């Protein structure tokens, strides 16, 4: 596995809740360093902002100020019934509000110099907005215009195979040649069943496999 030793990341992990595969760190740094200049980045799934802040950290050390758009509605699997969280007295609505506020506070503290643009939308909804090229008010209160080619997509939303296929199709539509797509939880050991689809992408003649680390990082070639 390709790894990066970075003295900041352990401190970020101590304070910022979330899941970030160690191999993804190398992939994020590689994509940020080598993606087409000036193009925006998209993160699908943000939770409490750990990967958002990691992306911004590598933008900072690689001298990149590319816009970063995050797509998340902060509605979690298993929360559809609206009841309490497990056997607690906390409702799923309260849990969602807490996670969203954690995201806001984490990105304000760790990425205040390079604030992202989180859009309150599931990934399919986000790409419809992106396709339309409209202006939206993001979760942090900034008015931003969506649309155009992208340089890097970090796909970490729903890990259902059908949704992953739709996410790839949407990313592919806007990913510029030379741009990168990283799929979280896509390794052959992951329990979500994304690995066969990763092999399909690797077999395409318009993508090259950059790393299986253990998740899959691809570069669009044309």
């Amino acid at each position: 596995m390709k790894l990066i030793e970075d003295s900041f990341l352990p401190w970020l992990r101590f304070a910022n809740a979330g899941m970030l595969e160690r191999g993804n760190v190398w992939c994020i740094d590689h994509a940020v360093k080598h993606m087409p200049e000036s193009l925006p980045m998209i993160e699908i799934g943000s939770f409490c902002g750990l990967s958002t802040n990691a992306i911004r950290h590598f933008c900072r050390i690689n001298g990149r100020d590319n816009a970063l758009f995050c797509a998340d509605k902060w509605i979690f699997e298993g929360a559809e019934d609206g009841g309490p969280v497990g056997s607690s007295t906390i409702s799923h609505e309260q849990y969602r509000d807490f996670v969203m506020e954690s995201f806001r506070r984490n990105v304000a503290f760790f990425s205040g110099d390079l604030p992202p643009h989180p859009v309150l939308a599931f990934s399919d909804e986000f790409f419809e907005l992106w396709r339309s090229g409209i202006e939206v008010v993001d979760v942090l209160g900034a008015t931003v215009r969506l649309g155009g080619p992208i340089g890097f997509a970090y796909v970490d939303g729903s890990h259902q195979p059908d949704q992953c296929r739709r996410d790839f199709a949407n990313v592919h539509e806007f990913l510029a040649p030379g741009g990168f797509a990283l799929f979280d939880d896509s390794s052959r050991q992951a329990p979500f069943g994304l690995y066969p689809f990763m092999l399909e992408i690797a077999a395409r003649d318009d993508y090259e496999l950059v790393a299986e680390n253990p998740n899959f990082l691809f570069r669009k070639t044309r």
Side-chain angles (χ1 to χ4, degrees), residues 18-45:
M19 296 72 67
L20 182 61
E21 163 66 49
R22 293 173 66 214
N24 286 4
V25 173
W26 183 92
C27 293
I28 290 170
D29 176 64
H30 182 90
V32 168
K33 187 179 298 181
H34 298 287
M35 69 182 179
E37 292 186 10
S38 78
L39 293 183
M41 303 171 288
I42 289 176
E43 177 189 43
I44 300 173

PDB file of all heavy atoms in Angstrom, residues 18-45:
ATOM      1  N   GLY A  18     -15.028  10.815  11.684  1.00  0.00           N
ATOM      2  CA  GLY A  18     -15.189  10.352  10.320  1.00  0.00           C
ATOM      3  C   GLY A  18     -14.331   9.142  10.028  1.00  0.00           C
ATOM      4  O   GLY A  18     -13.573   8.668  10.880  1.00  0.00           O
ATOM      5  N   MET A  19     -14.468   8.648   8.811  1.00  0.00           N
ATOM      6  CA  MET A  19     -13.727   7.476   8.357  1.00  0.00           C
ATOM      7  C   MET A  19     -12.880   7.881   7.154  1.00  0.00           C
ATOM      8  O   MET A  19     -13.415   8.453   6.202  1.00  0.00           O
ATOM      9  CB  MET A  19     -14.682   6.343   7.960  1.00  0.00           C
ATOM     10  CG  MET A  19     -15.520   5.783   9.106  1.00  0.00           C
ATOM     11  SD  MET A  19     -16.831   6.878   9.690  1.00  0.00           S
ATOM     12  CE  MET A  19     -17.926   6.915   8.282  1.00  0.00           C
ATOM     13  N   LEU A  20     -11.591   7.611   7.218  1.00  0.00           N
ATOM     14  CA  LEU A  20     -10.707   7.943   6.103  1.00  0.00           C
ATOM     15  C   LEU A  20      -9.660   6.846   5.987  1.00  0.00           C
ATOM     16  O   LEU A  20      -8.743   6.757   6.814  1.00  0.00           O
ATOM     17  CB  LEU A  20     -10.037   9.305   6.323  1.00  0.00           C
ATOM     18  CG  LEU A  20      -9.123   9.802   5.201  1.00  0.00           C
ATOM     19  CD1 LEU A  20      -9.896   9.977   3.897  1.00  0.00           C
ATOM     20  CD2 LEU A  20      -8.454  11.119   5.594  1.00  0.00           C
ATOM     21  N   GLU A  21      -9.819   5.993   4.976  1.00  0.00           N
ATOM     22  CA  GLU A  21      -8.871   4.913   4.709  1.00  0.00           C
ATOM     23  C   GLU A  21      -7.478   5.501   4.507  1.00  0.00           C
ATOM     24  O   GLU A  21      -7.291   6.489   3.796  1.00  0.00           O
ATOM     25  CB  GLU A  21      -9.332   4.152   3.464  1.00  0.00           C
ATOM     26  CG  GLU A  21      -8.303   3.275   2.793  1.00  0.00           C
ATOM     27  CD  GLU A  21      -7.883   2.109   3.687  1.00  0.00           C
ATOM     28  OE1 GLU A  21      -8.784   1.430   4.224  1.00  0.00           O
ATOM     29  OE2 GLU A  21      -6.670   1.887   3.806  1.00  0.00           O
ATOM     30  N   ARG A  22      -6.492   4.903   5.142  1.00  0.00           N
ATOM     31  CA  ARG A  22      -5.129   5.427   5.082  1.00  0.00           C
ATOM     32  C   ARG A  22      -4.620   5.509   3.650  1.00  0.00           C
ATOM     33  O   ARG A  22      -3.913   6.446   3.277  1.00  0.00           O
ATOM     34  CB  ARG A  22      -4.193   4.574   5.928  1.00  0.00           C
ATOM     35  CG  ARG A  22      -4.471   4.655   7.429  1.00  0.00           C
ATOM     36  CD  ARG A  22      -3.599   3.653   8.185  1.00  0.00           C
ATOM     37  NE  ARG A  22      -2.191   3.994   8.093  1.00  0.00           N
ATOM     38  CZ  ARG A  22      -1.204   3.101   8.051  1.00  0.00           C
ATOM     39  NH1 ARG A  22      -1.482   1.811   8.069  1.00  0.00           N
ATOM     40  NH2 ARG A  22       0.050   3.492   7.990  1.00  0.00           N
ATOM     41  N   GLY A  23      -4.965   4.519   2.828  1.00  0.00           N
ATOM     42  CA  GLY A  23      -4.523   4.551   1.443  1.00  0.00           C
ATOM     43  C   GLY A  23      -5.167   5.666   0.637  1.00  0.00           C
ATOM     44  O   GLY A  23      -4.599   6.133  -0.359  1.00  0.00           O
ATOM     45  N   ASN A  24      -6.368   6.103   1.049  1.00  0.00           N
ATOM     46  CA  ASN A  24      -7.026   7.203   0.352  1.00  0.00           C
ATOM     47  C   ASN A  24      -6.226   8.494   0.450  1.00  0.00           C
ATOM     48  O   ASN A  24      -6.313   9.352  -0.431  1.00  0.00           O
ATOM     49  CB  ASN A  24      -8.426   7.435   0.917  1.00  0.00           C
ATOM     50  CG  ASN A  24      -9.429   6.389   0.496  1.00  0.00           C
ATOM     51  OD1 ASN A  24      -9.085   5.416  -0.173  1.00  0.00           O
ATOM     52  ND2 ASN A  24     -10.676   6.564   0.895  1.00  0.00           N
ATOM     53  N   VAL A  25      -5.472   8.637   1.531  1.00  0.00           N
ATOM     54  CA  VAL A  25      -4.689   9.854   1.723  1.00  0.00           C
ATOM     55  C   VAL A  25      -3.686  10.015   0.594  1.00  0.00           C
ATOM     56  O   VAL A  25      -3.536  11.100   0.017  1.00  0.00           O
ATOM     57  CB  VAL A  25      -3.996   9.830   3.103  1.00  0.00           C
ATOM     58  CG1 VAL A  25      -3.043  11.006   3.244  1.00  0.00           C
ATOM     59  CG2 VAL A  25      -5.037   9.839   4.216  1.00  0.00           C
ATOM     60  N   TRP A  26      -2.968   8.931   0.265  1.00  0.00           N
ATOM     61  CA  TRP A  26      -2.024   8.989  -0.863  1.00  0.00           C
ATOM     62  C   TRP A  26      -2.765   9.326  -2.154  1.00  0.00           C
ATOM     63  O   TRP A  26      -2.295  10.145  -2.962  1.00  0.00           O
ATOM     64  CB  TRP A  26      -1.290   7.653  -1.023  1.00  0.00           C
ATOM     65  CG  TRP A  26      -0.272   7.689  -2.123  1.00  0.00           C
ATOM     66  CD1 TRP A  26       1.051   7.998  -2.017  1.00  0.00           C
ATOM     67  CD2 TRP A  26      -0.520   7.433  -3.523  1.00  0.00           C
ATOM     68  NE1 TRP A  26       1.658   7.943  -3.264  1.00  0.00           N
ATOM     69  CE2 TRP A  26       0.714   7.590  -4.203  1.00  0.00           C
ATOM     70  CE3 TRP A  26      -1.651   7.070  -4.253  1.00  0.00           C
ATOM     71  CZ2 TRP A  26       0.833   7.425  -5.579  1.00  0.00           C
ATOM     72  CZ3 TRP A  26      -1.534   6.902  -5.639  1.00  0.00           C
ATOM     73  CH2 TRP A  26      -0.300   7.076  -6.286  1.00  0.00           C
ATOM     74  N   CYS A  27      -3.934   8.711  -2.357  1.00  0.00           N
ATOM     75  CA  CYS A  27      -4.705   8.935  -3.588  1.00  0.00           C
ATOM     76  C   CYS A  27      -5.171  10.382  -3.697  1.00  0.00           C
ATOM     77  O   CYS A  27      -5.124  10.981  -4.782  1.00  0.00           O
ATOM     78  CB  CYS A  27      -5.911   7.999  -3.627  1.00  0.00           C
ATOM     79  SG  CYS A  27      -5.514   6.251  -3.784  1.00  0.00           S
ATOM     80  N   ILE A  28      -5.629  10.942  -2.580  1.00  0.00           N
ATOM     81  CA  ILE A  28      -6.070  12.339  -2.586  1.00  0.00           C
ATOM     82  C   ILE A  28      -4.911  13.257  -2.933  1.00  0.00           C
ATOM     83  O   ILE A  28      -5.027  14.153  -3.781  1.00  0.00           O
ATOM     84  CB  ILE A  28      -6.690  12.706  -1.222  1.00  0.00           C
ATOM     85  CG1 ILE A  28      -8.033  12.001  -1.043  1.00  0.00           C
ATOM     86  CG2 ILE A  28      -6.865  14.222  -1.098  1.00  0.00           C
ATOM     87  CD1 ILE A  28      -8.597  12.106   0.363  1.00  0.00           C
ATOM     88  N   ASP A  29      -3.776  13.051  -2.297  1.00  0.00           N
ATOM     89  CA  ASP A  29      -2.604  13.886  -2.582  1.00  0.00           C
ATOM     90  C   ASP A  29      -2.199  13.773  -4.052  1.00  0.00           C
ATOM     91  O   ASP A  29      -1.923  14.782  -4.710  1.00  0.00           O
ATOM     92  CB  ASP A  29      -1.446  13.467  -1.679  1.00  0.00           C
ATOM     93  CG  ASP A  29      -0.166  14.227  -1.987  1.00  0.00           C
ATOM     94  OD1 ASP A  29      -0.145  15.456  -1.813  1.00  0.00           O
ATOM     95  OD2 ASP A  29       0.819  13.592  -2.426  1.00  0.00           O
ATOM     96  N   HIS A  30      -2.185  12.552  -4.583  1.00  0.00           N
ATOM     97  CA  HIS A  30      -1.797  12.353  -5.979  1.00  0.00           C
ATOM     98  C   HIS A  30      -2.769  13.064  -6.923  1.00  0.00           C
ATOM     99  O   HIS A  30      -2.341  13.739  -7.873  1.00  0.00           O
ATOM    100  CB  HIS A  30      -1.754  10.857  -6.298  1.00  0.00           C
ATOM    101  CG  HIS A  30      -1.317  10.566  -7.698  1.00  0.00           C
ATOM    102  ND1 HIS A  30       0.004  10.372  -8.053  1.00  0.00           N
ATOM    103  CD2 HIS A  30      -2.037  10.430  -8.859  1.00  0.00           C
ATOM    104  CE1 HIS A  30       0.095  10.140  -9.345  1.00  0.00           C
ATOM    105  NE2 HIS A  30      -1.134  10.166  -9.861  1.00  0.00           N
ATOM    106  N   ALA A  31      -4.067  12.921  -6.660  1.00  0.00           N
ATOM    107  CA  ALA A  31      -5.062  13.533  -7.535  1.00  0.00           C
ATOM    108  C   ALA A  31      -4.984  15.055  -7.484  1.00  0.00           C
ATOM    109  O   ALA A  31      -5.024  15.725  -8.525  1.00  0.00           O
ATOM    110  CB  ALA A  31      -6.460  13.054  -7.151  1.00  0.00           C
ATOM    111  N   VAL A  32      -4.876  15.599  -6.282  1.00  0.00           N
ATOM    112  CA  VAL A  32      -4.803  17.056  -6.141  1.00  0.00           C
ATOM    113  C   VAL A  32      -3.550  17.595  -6.818  1.00  0.00           C
ATOM    114  O   VAL A  32      -3.580  18.634  -7.492  1.00  0.00           O
ATOM    115  CB  VAL A  32      -4.835  17.444  -4.648  1.00  0.00           C
ATOM    116  CG1 VAL A  32      -4.454  18.910  -4.460  1.00  0.00           C
ATOM    117  CG2 VAL A  32      -6.213  17.176  -4.063  1.00  0.00           C
ATOM    118  N   LYS A  33      -2.458  16.884  -6.689  1.00  0.00           N
ATOM    119  CA  LYS A  33      -1.180  17.327  -7.244  1.00  0.00           C
ATOM    120  C   LYS A  33      -1.185  17.300  -8.772  1.00  0.00           C
ATOM    121  O   LYS A  33      -0.584  18.172  -9.420  1.00  0.00           O
ATOM    122  CB  LYS A  33      -0.063  16.441  -6.695  1.00  0.00           C
ATOM    123  CG  LYS A  33       1.348  16.878  -7.056  1.00  0.00           C
ATOM    124  CD  LYS A  33       2.359  15.925  -6.436  1.00  0.00           C
ATOM    125  CE  LYS A  33       2.273  15.931  -4.924  1.00  0.00           C
ATOM    126  NZ  LYS A  33       3.261  15.020  -4.288  1.00  0.00           N
ATOM    127  N   HIS A  34      -1.865  16.322  -9.367  1.00  0.00           N
ATOM    128  CA  HIS A  34      -1.734  16.097 -10.810  1.00  0.00           C
ATOM    129  C   HIS A  34      -3.000  16.400 -11.618  1.00  0.00           C
ATOM    130  O   HIS A  34      -2.968  16.278 -12.847  1.00  0.00           O
ATOM    131  CB  HIS A  34      -1.328  14.642 -11.062  1.00  0.00           C
ATOM    132  CG  HIS A  34      -0.002  14.277 -10.480  1.00  0.00           C
ATOM    133  ND1 HIS A  34       1.192  14.712 -11.006  1.00  0.00           N
ATOM    134  CD2 HIS A  34       0.319  13.518  -9.400  1.00  0.00           C
ATOM    135  CE1 HIS A  34       2.194  14.230 -10.294  1.00  0.00           C
ATOM    136  NE2 HIS A  34       1.692  13.505  -9.308  1.00  0.00           N
ATOM    137  N   MET A  35      -4.077  16.811 -10.984  1.00  0.00           N
ATOM    138  CA  MET A  35      -5.310  17.081 -11.731  1.00  0.00           C
ATOM    139  C   MET A  35      -5.147  18.346 -12.575  1.00  0.00           C
ATOM    140  O   MET A  35      -4.246  19.163 -12.339  1.00  0.00           O
ATOM    141  CB  MET A  35      -6.478  17.251 -10.756  1.00  0.00           C
ATOM    142  CG  MET A  35      -6.418  18.492  -9.911  1.00  0.00           C
ATOM    143  SD  MET A  35      -7.811  18.585  -8.764  1.00  0.00           S
ATOM    144  CE  MET A  35      -7.410  20.113  -7.919  1.00  0.00           C
ATOM    145  N   PRO A  36      -6.014  18.506 -13.581  1.00  0.00           N
ATOM    146  CA  PRO A  36      -5.946  19.718 -14.402  1.00  0.00           C
ATOM    147  C   PRO A  36      -6.067  20.974 -13.545  1.00  0.00           C
ATOM    148  O   PRO A  36      -6.875  21.045 -12.628  1.00  0.00           O
ATOM    149  CB  PRO A  36      -7.142  19.572 -15.346  1.00  0.00           C
ATOM    150  CG  PRO A  36      -7.399  18.104 -15.414  1.00  0.00           C
ATOM    151  CD  PRO A  36      -7.057  17.581 -14.051  1.00  0.00           C
ATOM    152  N   GLU A  37      -5.260  21.972 -13.868  1.00  0.00           N
ATOM    153  CA  GLU A  37      -5.241  23.194 -13.076  1.00  0.00           C
ATOM    154  C   GLU A  37      -6.569  23.935 -13.174  1.00  0.00           C
ATOM    155  O   GLU A  37      -7.227  23.915 -14.213  1.00  0.00           O
ATOM    156  CB  GLU A  37      -4.110  24.111 -13.551  1.00  0.00           C
ATOM    157  CG  GLU A  37      -2.726  23.554 -13.254  1.00  0.00           C
ATOM    158  CD  GLU A  37      -1.625  24.539 -13.595  1.00  0.00           C
ATOM    159  OE1 GLU A  37      -1.960  25.717 -13.871  1.00  0.00           O
ATOM    160  OE2 GLU A  37      -0.455  24.134 -13.587  1.00  0.00           O
ATOM    161  N   SER A  38      -6.940  24.552 -12.080  1.00  0.00           N
ATOM    162  CA  SER A  38      -8.069  25.484 -11.939  1.00  0.00           C
ATOM    163  C   SER A  38      -9.448  24.839 -11.940  1.00  0.00           C
ATOM    164  O   SER A  38     -10.428  25.494 -11.593  1.00  0.00           O
ATOM    165  CB  SER A  38      -8.028  26.574 -13.036  1.00  0.00           C
ATOM    166  OG  SER A  38      -8.501  26.083 -14.284  1.00  0.00           O
ATOM    167  N   LEU A  39      -9.578  23.565 -12.318  1.00  0.00           N
ATOM    168  CA  LEU A  39     -10.898  22.956 -12.364  1.00  0.00           C
ATOM    169  C   LEU A  39     -11.388  22.615 -10.957  1.00  0.00           C
ATOM    170  O   LEU A  39     -10.601  22.267 -10.079  1.00  0.00           O
ATOM    171  CB  LEU A  39     -10.878  21.685 -13.219  1.00  0.00           C
ATOM    172  CG  LEU A  39     -10.624  21.873 -14.705  1.00  0.00           C
ATOM    173  CD1 LEU A  39     -10.714  20.527 -15.426  1.00  0.00           C
ATOM    174  CD2 LEU A  39     -11.604  22.861 -15.316  1.00  0.00           C
ATOM    175  N   PRO A  40     -12.703  22.701 -10.734  1.00  0.00           N
ATOM    176  CA  PRO A  40     -13.243  22.379  -9.413  1.00  0.00           C
ATOM    177  C   PRO A  40     -13.186  20.893  -9.114  1.00  0.00           C
ATOM    178  O   PRO A  40     -13.048  20.054 -10.012  1.00  0.00           O
ATOM    179  CB  PRO A  40     -14.687  22.879  -9.480  1.00  0.00           C
ATOM    180  CG  PRO A  40     -15.030  22.857 -10.927  1.00  0.00           C
ATOM    181  CD  PRO A  40     -13.756  23.176 -11.648  1.00  0.00           C
ATOM    182  N   MET A  41     -13.328  20.570  -7.829  1.00  0.00           N
ATOM    183  CA  MET A  41     -13.371  19.199  -7.340  1.00  0.00           C
ATOM    184  C   MET A  41     -14.749  18.947  -6.734  1.00  0.00           C
ATOM    185  O   MET A  41     -15.419  19.877  -6.274  1.00  0.00           O
ATOM    186  CB  MET A  41     -12.295  18.979  -6.271  1.00  0.00           C
ATOM    187  CG  MET A  41     -10.890  19.305  -6.751  1.00  0.00           C
ATOM    188  SD  MET A  41      -9.684  19.272  -5.377  1.00  0.00           S
ATOM    189  CE  MET A  41     -10.155  20.758  -4.488  1.00  0.00           C
ATOM    190  N   ILE A  42     -15.153  17.673  -6.729  1.00  0.00           N
ATOM    191  CA  ILE A  42     -16.442  17.291  -6.157  1.00  0.00           C
ATOM    192  C   ILE A  42     -16.220  16.157  -5.167  1.00  0.00           C
ATOM    193  O   ILE A  42     -15.530  15.174  -5.478  1.00  0.00           O
ATOM    194  CB  ILE A  42     -17.426  16.858  -7.262  1.00  0.00           C
ATOM    195  CG1 ILE A  42     -17.860  18.077  -8.085  1.00  0.00           C
ATOM    196  CG2 ILE A  42     -18.646  16.157  -6.669  1.00  0.00           C
ATOM    197  CD1 ILE A  42     -18.750  17.738  -9.265  1.00  0.00           C
ATOM    198  N   GLU A  43     -16.828  16.292  -4.003  1.00  0.00           N
ATOM    199  CA  GLU A  43     -16.830  15.234  -3.001  1.00  0.00           C
ATOM    200  C   GLU A  43     -18.274  14.785  -2.793  1.00  0.00           C
ATOM    201  O   GLU A  43     -19.134  15.596  -2.458  1.00  0.00           O
ATOM    202  CB  GLU A  43     -16.246  15.740  -1.680  1.00  0.00           C
ATOM    203  CG  GLU A  43     -16.279  14.697  -0.577  1.00  0.00           C
ATOM    204  CD  GLU A  43     -15.899  15.262   0.784  1.00  0.00           C
ATOM    205  OE1 GLU A  43     -16.358  16.363   1.125  1.00  0.00           O
ATOM    206  OE2 GLU A  43     -15.140  14.578   1.500  1.00  0.00           O
ATOM    207  N   ILE A  44     -18.527  13.513  -2.995  1.00  0.00           N
ATOM    208  CA  ILE A  44     -19.861  12.945  -2.773  1.00  0.00           C
ATOM    209  C   ILE A  44     -19.856  12.253  -1.419  1.00  0.00           C
ATOM    210  O   ILE A  44     -19.224  11.210  -1.244  1.00  0.00           O
ATOM    211  CB  ILE A  44     -20.232  11.957  -3.889  1.00  0.00           C
ATOM    212  CG1 ILE A  44     -20.233  12.658  -5.252  1.00  0.00           C
ATOM    213  CG2 ILE A  44     -21.593  11.323  -3.618  1.00  0.00           C
ATOM    214  CD1 ILE A  44     -20.428  11.715  -6.419  1.00  0.00           C
ATOM    215  N   GLY A  45     -20.553  12.836  -0.454  1.00  0.00           N
ATOM    216  CA  GLY A  45     -20.568  12.308   0.901  1.00  0.00           C
ATOM    217  C   GLY A  45     -19.516  12.987   1.756  1.00  0.00           C
ATOM    218  O   GLY A  45     -18.323  12.860   1.481  1.00  0.00           O
TER     219      GLY A  45
END
